[in-house]
Amino acid sequence: MGAVEKGAVVLLFLVLFGMGATPVTGTIAGPTYDVVLSDNGPTFYDNTVVGEWPNYYPFEMKGRVESYSTSWYSGSGASHIAVIVLGTYDLDYASAKLTNTAGYSLYRTYSSATFTANFYYPFLDDADGGPSSTLTMRWHYKFLGGGGY
């Protein structure tokens, strides 16, 4: 295998496997890049790290639904990311969506990559026999340019 072919194989490997478990939408050097975290309640937690050495970007979500009371969630992420081969991206928006099997839905968007919110949850929590709940957070990035760092 020649040097050019080996380079193409390494490049393809980085594109396909260099992202870890991070969902990606768009194409190489495409218009958007999404990081999505999700968990089932009543206590929510998920995290991931985006990027390659030397640029790592940690993302974390956590929260809890409390029966008939004020519940909360928080998310933390990066406002700017550089992903090898794909390029550089700036945060377009972050969002949090809470749903449950009884049809309850709460959706909020944020202009900051780190956010915290309280909300009223009008059901028993999952552990007390209430409907099953899911919290999903998304950090949506728009492409700035480049094909590397």
Side-chain angles (χ1 to χ4, degrees), residues 43-125:
T43 300
F44 307 103
Y45 183 80
D46 196 9
N47 69 338
T48 192
V49 176
V50 173
E52 298 294 325
W53 181 88
N55 296 327
Y56 295 102
Y57 306 95
F59 289 82
E60 181 180 53
M61 68 162 242
K62 49 189 169 181
R64 178 160 179 84
V65 291
E66 301 284 350
S67 299
Y68 302 109
S69 67
T70 300
S71 301
W72 62 275
Y73 61 76
S74 66
S76 61
S79 56
H80 176 83
I81 59 175
V83 182
I84 192 167
V85 179
L86 297 183
T88 56
Y89 293 79
D90 263 350
L91 182 72
D92 189 19
Y93 65 88
S95 65
K97 182 177 182 181
L98 177 77
T99 58
N100 71 18
T101 54
Y104 179 79
S105 183
L106 171 74
Y107 181 77
R108 294 179 179 161
T109 59
Y110 301 92
S111 57
S112 172
T114 298
F115 50 88
T116 301
N118 295 314
F119 61 94
Y120 179 74
Y121 188 69
F123 298 92
L124 286 171
D125 72 26

